[in-house]
């Protein structure tokens, strides 16, 4: 019986980018496709009284340095060679997350996702600037003006809110979060457990 595997993401998370780079390996080994679910990380933080690691680690000796080391190890282990921190970080992702909902409704989430993730975590684009968003999408063969128009649609806004609320209700407190047949796994390092869960009978 095929497992239902979800990847709840927000473009503002570098760890979501890194996790995404590993997902195809897991899909190839298991034969199970991940369903990508757009959520708003800021909304998750607000609902769960959580904060970003950048804020949470302030004043804690060695923790930030260790997390940077852990990220480098993950990048090296999986041969991820294009990643770089966005010089505009943190970026307000509300527009591009609504754009992900619009793209999903228009059956083009995959190319939209690839274009925006690359712009955020390979090209260091300021992806809360509508002009830059439009240019990035146009360059990827996606109608940027159409997407920017669609993100004003109340149905698009409502869907992003609903996705985010559902994610929190099911246990999410940050990104990336994965669900395998409803069981929650958090963080890029949980992908080993995600794969084990997929492979389990």
């Amino acid at each position: 019986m095929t497992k239902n595997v979800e990847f709840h993401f927000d473009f503002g998370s570098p760890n979501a980018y890194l996790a995404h780079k590993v997902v195809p390996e897991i899909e190839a080994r298991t034969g199970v496709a991940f369903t990508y679910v757009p959520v708003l990380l800021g909304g998750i933080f607000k609902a769960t009284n959580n904060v970003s690691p950048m804020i949470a680690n302030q004043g804690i000796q060695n923790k930030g340095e260790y997390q940077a080391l852990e990220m480098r190890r993950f990048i090296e282990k999986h041969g991820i060679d294009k990643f770089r921190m966005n010089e505009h970080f943190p970026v307000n992702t509300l527009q591009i997350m609504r754009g992900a909902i619009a793209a999903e409704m228009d059956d083009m989430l995959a190319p939209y996702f690839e274009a925006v993730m690359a712009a955020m975590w390979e090209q260091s684009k300021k992806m809360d600037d509508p002009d830059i968003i439009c240019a990035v999408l146009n360059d990827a063969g996606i109608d940027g003006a159409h997407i920017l128009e669609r993100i004003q649609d109340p149905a698009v806004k409502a869907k992003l809110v609903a996705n985010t609320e559902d994610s929190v209700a099911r246990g999410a407190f940050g990104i990336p979060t994965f669900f395998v047949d409803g069981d929650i796994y958090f963080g890029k390092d949980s992908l080993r457990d995600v794969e084990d869960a997929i492979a389990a009978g």
Side-chain angles (χ1 to χ4, degrees):
M1 185 174 179
T2 302
K3 302 275 186 167
N4 178 37
V5 184
E6 301 172 32
F7 176 5
H8 291 213
F9 74 90
D10 183 309
F11 293 114
S13 166
N15 285 323
Y17 168 90
L18 296 174
H20 167 66
K21 290 300 179 181
V22 178
V23 164
E25 302 171 13
I26 299 173
E27 290 180 326
R29 286 191 294 264
T30 64
V32 174
F34 284 53
T35 298
Y36 282 57
V37 180
V39 297
L40 191 63
L41 181 55
I44 290 176
F45 282 166
K46 184 176 180 180
T48 60
N49 200 32
N50 196 5
V51 294
S52 73
M54 180 184 293
I55 296 172
N57 293 340
Q58 282 181 351
I60 302 177
Q61 185 174 344
N62 297 331
K63 188 171 182 182
E65 291 82 357
Y66 179 77
Q67 289 195 325
L69 173 62
E70 178 270 333
M71 180 178 282
R72 287 198 301 275
R73 286 172 173 164
F74 187 94
I75 287 168
E76 290 170 6
K77 176 181 179 180
H78 296 286
I80 299 168
D81 56 5
K82 295 181 180 178
F83 173 80
R84 64 183 173 119
M85 279 300 294
N86 191 301
E87 65 190 48
H88 306 288
F89 185 82
V91 173
N92 184 326
T93 61
L94 180 60
Q95 295 178 93
I96 50 178
M97 292 314 302
R98 286 177 176 168
I101 296 291
E104 182 180 46
M105 289 178 172
D106 293 346
D107 281 332
M108 56 180 184
L109 178 57
Y112 177 92
F113 182 98
E114 294 292 348
V116 175
M117 270 298 190
M120 277 288 297
W121 300 112
E122 296 174 8
Q123 302 155 14
S124 201
K125 301 278 190 182
K126 193 176 188 308
M127 292 299 287
D128 50 12
D129 182 323
D131 291 337
I132 293 175
I133 295 169
C134 191
V136 164
L137 296 179
N138 287 341
D139 287 346
I142 298 168
D143 188 338
H146 173 71
I147 292 291
L148 288 173
E149 181 180 344
R150 293 273 282 122
I151 67 175
Q152 302 303 324
D153 185 336
V156 168
K157 295 179 181 180
K159 178 61 174 170
L160 181 59
V161 170
N163 280 5
T164 304
E165 290 177 344
D166 177 67
S167 191
V168 170
R170 294 166 63 192
F173 55 88
I175 293 299
T177 292
F178 306 91
F179 293 93
V180 181
D181 285 347
D183 290 334
I184 188 170
Y185 299 84
F186 171 73
K188 66 185 185 298
D189 294 316
S190 73
L191 282 169
R192 291 166 298 199
D193 296 327
V194 168
E195 183 167 359
D196 286 346
I198 295 170

